[in-house]
Amino acid sequence: MTIPAFYPIGTSGTPWGSAEIATWLAKQTRHRSYQHDVLSVIDTLRSRYDVLEYGRLDYLPETFPLMAIKARPWRNDLPCMLVTGGVHGYETSGVHGALRFAQEHASAYEGRVNLVIAPCISPWAYERIHRWNPHAIDPNRSFRENSPAEESAALLRLVADVRDRVLMHIDLHETTDTDESEFRPALAARDGVAYEPGEVPDGFYLVDDSENPQPEFQQAVIEAVAKITHIAPADRKGEIIGSPVVAPGIIQYPLRKLGLCAGITSARYTTTTEVYPDSPRATPEQCIAAQVAAVCAAIDFALAHA
């Protein structure tokens, strides 16, 4: 059943134009600091890794350098592992999970893999705790040629030279209560369609690639995370966020077709994590630890089965 949902911007049934986007943008407020939370942490890693600026977002009067962390030394004979976080800026543990992995675990893989870590792909949205960029575009539906989102286009340029050499790509996300209270109603209003309410799953789950399913890989990640936090059960329909559950805690999307971040390379092993930070059964620290556990399990599995 479709239930109308009021959203305070726009006219029901009419997609947003420039005026509505400007109204929405004027309501966005900066809540935290990319410089303090992310760039300062990356700076502490410069003695151990190569740190590069792979792009710059000019959202005047603000500007945001896009930073990546790369293994040192880089060896062409080693498999490449890609870790991304913060495609949606409000999904906090994805950003801090990627940083925590770089700080505490990446060195364990030295000499075995080439690591590329892009911990905060959407810094403007990170500061506003939002899903979209300032043009009301979702970067995680925009990883495609001639992308309308500079966040997505910049990451595509970063991986262009290695996209066919990436063995594993894990993209770190969260599913939150605000998905239903704010972001999906805003999406419906922006696109001029009726809001269809969904159900927020309580727990961690993964999104596999329906065009390249790797069930054993996904299961290895689920088993590692289950030691940290609980795995989301299927709903009454046997689904999670509207998709059939193919194994406990695992659903599938056509990653590349949908323009999702986890589909940007030719990697054999790909997954998108989804932590649930609003659960009464999980703390912020558990959510970060779950992301780190997922990254380590994904790399370990890919190495063991390369």
Side-chain angles (χ1 to χ4, degrees):
M1 179 176 65
T2 299
I3 299 175
F6 173 76
Y7 195 78
I9 298 172
T11 302
S12 178
T14 302
W16 287 1
S18 58
E20 289 81 10
I21 292 173
T23 299
W24 168 83
L25 180 59
K27 295 179 178 291
Q28 305 312 309
T29 303
R30 185 174 183 265
H31 296 283
R32 53 191 179 185
S33 169
Y34 174 63
Q35 172 65 49
H36 179 271
D37 296 355
V38 179
L39 296 184
S40 65
V41 176
I42 292 174
D43 282 342
T44 68
L45 301 171
R46 290 180 182 273
S47 64
R48 298 157 54 193
Y49 306 103
D50 288 333
V51 174
L52 69 151
E53 181 178 318
Y54 66 89
R56 184 170 285 264
L57 302 175
D58 291 319
Y59 293 144
L60 298 178
E62 297 175 284
T63 184
F64 299 90
L66 298 171
M67 308 303 294
I69 303 158
K70 294 182 70 175
R72 179 196 299 164
W74 187 274
R75 286 175 45 186
N76 289 332
D77 61 317
L78 296 178
C80 183
M81 309 285 185
L82 177 61
V83 181
T84 50
V87 172
H88 293 141
Y90 73 107
E91 296 173 6
T92 305
S93 71
V95 175
H96 294 285
L99 290 171
R100 177 81 60 84
F101 170 76
Q103 289 174 297
E104 299 182 2
H105 298 273
S107 60
Y109 299 97
E110 185 176 339
R112 294 195 288 158
V113 303
N114 292 322
L115 277 170
V116 179
I117 305 168
C120 190
I121 290 165
S122 297
W124 182 91
Y126 175 83
E127 292 197 337
R128 273 84 184 165
I129 314 182
H130 211 283
R131 186 180 185 91
W132 296 341
N133 72 12
H135 303 298
I137 294 172
D138 184 346
N140 207 34
R141 294 297 186 275
S142 304
F143 288 96
R144 58 180 184 271
E145 188 175 354
N146 300 317
S147 174
E150 182 53 33
E151 296 86 349
S152 309
L155 188 69
L156 287 168
R157 292 192 295 269
L158 172 68
V159 304
D161 291 341
V162 298
R163 66 178 304 275
D164 293 330
R165 295 164 52 198
V166 174
L167 177 62
M168 188 284 302
H169 178 191
I170 184 168
D171 189 33
L172 309 180
H173 284 255
E174 293 181 343
T175 298
T176 74
D177 287 345
T178 54
D179 288 8
E180 288 297 323
S181 64
E182 168 64 23
F183 297 120
R184 292 189 67 247
L187 175 64
R190 185 198 69 181
D191 293 348
V193 300
Y195 165 61
E196 297 184 10
E199 183 175 323
V200 178
D202 184 355
F204 179 94
Y205 64 98
L206 294 173
V207 182
D208 194 5
D209 187 358
S210 61
E211 298 175 338
N212 176 38
Q214 297 290 337
E216 293 181 359
F217 169 68
Q218 309 297 332
Q219 184 60 36
V221 176
I222 287 288
E223 290 176 359
V225 171
K227 300 174 183 177
I228 308 295
T229 191
H230 58 292
I231 305 304
D235 63 17
R236 300 179 303 276
K237 299 178 182 178
E239 298 175 341
I240 291 176
I241 61 166
S243 294
V245 172
V246 297
I250 303 168
I251 62 174
Q252 296 178 343
Y253 280 176
L255 302 180
R256 191 167 300 178
K257 180 180 179 180
L258 293 177
L260 302 180
C261 183
I264 64 174
T265 73
S266 301
R268 178 179 181 183
Y269 301 110
T270 57
T271 197
T272 300
T273 68
E274 294 286 355
V275 171
Y276 180 46
D278 297 316
S279 173
R281 301 167 59 191
T283 66
E285 174 58 30
Q286 278 179 296
C287 291
I288 294 172
Q291 302 281 24
V292 173
V295 174
C296 292
I299 295 175
D300 290 343
F301 184 96
L303 276 175
H305 296 80

